[in-house]
Amino acid sequence: MAQIHPTAAVAPGAVIGQGCVIGPGCVVGPDVVLDDDVELIAHAVIDGHTRLAHGVRVFPFASIGMAPQDLKYRNEPTRCEIGAGTLVREGVTVHRASVGGAGVTTVGANCMLMAASHVAHDCVLGDGVILANNVMLGGHVEVGPGAFIGGGAAVHQTVRVGRLAMVSGMAGVTNDIPPFGYVFGLPARLVGFNRIGLLRRGATRDQLRTLRAVHTVLFKDAGEFAGKLPEVEARFGTEPLVQELLAFVRDPSRRRQLVRPGRMAAPELGGTDEEPGEGS
């Protein structure tokens, strides 16, 4: 059975799974679904048509599923979904979707949203995404699986962040980041690729060298960017990671330009294939 503290307010109609723990001062709205083993530690607010999947943990003063900060919104029955095993730390805000999108704000499984991070309406976060403290995601942002966004970074609305990309702390992201990209600065510039994140997920040294060569061709060599894509495909197109990168770049549904290349701003972010720097 669920454990519900006597000071918690659980509205009639809310669905509470087995093994859930709802701590003191929590508020759960009438359209909320908590799957089994969800824990609301204390003073968390879950509202709207919101579902928290198995094993989600929500820390004090977090707010999930409240109305979006969008003047067009007129209390339409949009949704918010948090994937299994995700950790939502203190003061996090995740808003339900607004109008004009798919109707749902989605956070994937096994994500970690650190203290005071904000996920705006209609965002889509893949599995294993980490948002560090005070990260701000604008509306309709898409973050690929395994991406890491550093503390205090701001991501403009409708930006796409590719799988296993890494955003440095305090970065200002206004353009799309390709898969495995590493961006730094304000405004954010592409300064490399996320070697450590790739290694931790099974990439080989040969794959890293291939990605380094692709990065050089696309973002460092002279010439028109569009004209470099056939060269990359011809030379490296059999590598699945390169295919993923090219598919992201060529996707016609992207609404923003690709992030511009820049120089490394700190030596610890550099390194070589043999001595990779610290990363995600």
Side-chain angles (χ1 to χ4, degrees):
M1 298 294 291
Q3 301 177 40
I4 302 176
H5 194 274
T7 63
V10 179
V15 178
I16 310 299
Q18 294 185 2
C20 288
V21 177
I22 301 178
C26 291
V27 178
V28 179
D31 299 310
V32 169
V33 176
L34 304 183
D35 287 353
D36 294 349
D37 299 320
V38 168
E39 181 180 9
L40 312 180
I41 293 176
H43 302 288
V45 176
I46 317 297
D47 195 23
H49 293 268
T50 295
R51 182 168 196 149
L52 274 56
H54 179 272
V56 170
R57 295 186 71 206
V58 183
F59 278 66
F61 308 109
S63 171
I64 301 175
M66 298 294 286
Q69 298 175 138
D70 184 346
L71 295 175
K72 299 187 301 297
Y73 183 71
R74 295 292 183 269
N75 205 35
E76 293 88 350
T78 55
R79 297 180 291 124
C80 179
E81 298 180 355
I82 309 294
T86 285
L87 186 64
V88 181
R89 293 301 306 239
E90 297 85 348
V92 166
T93 51
V94 183
H95 290 165
R96 64 181 181 262
S98 185
V99 292
V104 58
T105 300
T106 304
V107 176
N110 300 310
C111 295
M112 181 162 62
L113 312 183
M114 297 188 194
S117 55
H118 172 64
V119 179
H121 61 87
D122 299 278
C123 285
V124 178
L125 278 60
D127 295 344
V129 168
I130 296 176
L131 306 184
N133 296 349
N134 301 299
V135 165
M136 298 167 285
L137 303 184
H140 301 272
V141 166
E142 297 181 20
V143 183
F148 176 90
I149 301 182
V155 183
H156 196 282
Q157 62 188 25
T158 71
V159 160
R160 290 189 184 180
V161 178
R163 184 173 76 91
L164 283 177
M166 184 172 183
V167 178
S168 71
M170 304 299 290
V173 182
T174 58
N175 290 312
D176 291 351
I177 303 171
F180 330 119
Y182 192 168
V183 302
F184 187 95
L186 180 63
R189 292 290 182 257
L190 186 68
V191 295
F193 61 94
N194 185 8
R195 297 180 301 277
I196 297 300
L198 285 159
L199 284 171
R200 288 175 177 172
R201 290 160 180 83
T204 67
R205 297 285 180 173
D206 285 342
Q207 287 177 311
L208 295 186
R209 293 187 180 96
T210 297
L211 286 176
R212 180 182 293 279
V214 169
H215 184 271
T216 297
V217 172
L218 288 179
F219 302 108
K220 293 184 179 181
D221 288 353
E224 183 182 3
F225 182 82
K228 300 175 184 179
L229 297 177
E231 177 187 352
V232 167
E233 188 167 33
R235 293 175 57 187
F236 309 106
T238 58
E239 167 55 53
L241 296 180
V242 176
Q243 294 172 4
E244 181 177 349
L245 174 61
L246 291 174
F248 182 96
V249 171
R250 288 169 165 167
D251 186 348
S253 67
R254 287 195 304 111
R255 298 166 66 178
R256 293 198 168 268
Q257 295 180 347
L258 208 62
V259 65
R260 295 182 180 182
R263 292 187 176 184
M264 194 72 68
E268 67 269 21
L269 302 183
T272 66
D273 288 340
E274 289 70 34
E275 296 181 5
E278 290 299 320
S280 171

